[in-house]
Amino acid sequence: MLNRSKLAAVGLLAAVFVAGGLAGWGGREAAERDERGPGGMGSRRGPDALVAYLSRELSLSAAQAESVRAIIARHRPETDALWARVRPQFDSIKACMRSEIDAQLTPEQRTRHQQLIDQAEHLRREREGRADSTKAKVGGH
């Protein structure tokens, strides 16, 4: 019975880990800002990455790719507004999941887990900073 309980706990931990990864990925994708300014280099995420992916997978013509890019840009304010509304709830769920995961870890693992979280947050802030600076440059012209 104890082994079944441990197996269930490990299964739950794995499920939470996968769910957290998917939620983080989805949230990150939803929050991603277009880091490419006019004439600048593209990024591996955001609208240009989606256009590149669809162009490659669907063999879009140049005109189709530009139409898709315009559609994404047109709906950007809606997706930004949606993310702004759900972000606090997302952050709350993420904090709860992290706390529950920490409860399953050894002290050494908790330390490493926090380091991983700190690294991810640092990268997110850097991306947001670059996106904000790109918006400021574009808006200043």
Side-chain angles (χ1 to χ4, degrees):
M1 189 77 162
L2 184 59
N3 286 339
R4 180 180 279 182
S5 177
K6 284 183 181 179
L7 182 60
V10 170
L12 179 61
L13 180 60
V16 168
F17 179 77
V18 170
L22 290 174
W25 174 80
R28 186 174 59 247
E29 290 300 312
E32 192 66 43
R33 301 288 187 247
D34 184 8
E35 296 176 6
R36 183 183 149 245
M41 298 300 290
S43 68
R44 61 183 186 97
R45 298 183 189 185
D48 289 330
L50 179 57
V51 171
Y53 172 75
L54 292 175
S55 293
R56 185 175 59 251
E57 296 297 320
L58 302 174
S59 301
L60 297 180
S61 68
Q64 288 173 314
E66 285 307 311
S67 293
V68 169
R69 184 174 280 110
I71 291 165
I72 294 169
R74 186 172 63 245
H75 289 280
R76 189 62 179 243
E78 295 169 275
T79 59
D80 287 350
L82 174 63
W83 181 244
R85 286 193 310 269
V86 302
R87 179 74 188 253
Q89 184 179 6
F90 175 82
D91 287 344
S92 176
I93 293 168
K94 183 171 63 173
C96 181
M97 289 172 39
R98 286 177 177 170
S99 177
E100 291 178 31
I101 290 169
D102 276 350
Q104 303 302 313
L105 303 177
T106 66
E108 295 81 15
Q109 289 170 322
R110 279 194 293 274
T111 299
R112 180 64 180 139
H113 184 226
Q114 187 58 51
Q115 289 171 345
L116 294 172
I117 290 168
D118 293 346
Q119 289 171 0
E121 290 298 316
H122 177 75
L123 292 173
R124 182 186 60 79
R125 284 190 302 272
E126 281 184 344
R127 279 194 312 269
E128 287 175 353
R130 284 194 306 265
D132 289 345
S133 102
T134 298
K135 283 182 182 179
K137 288 178 188 174
V138 172
H141 289 276

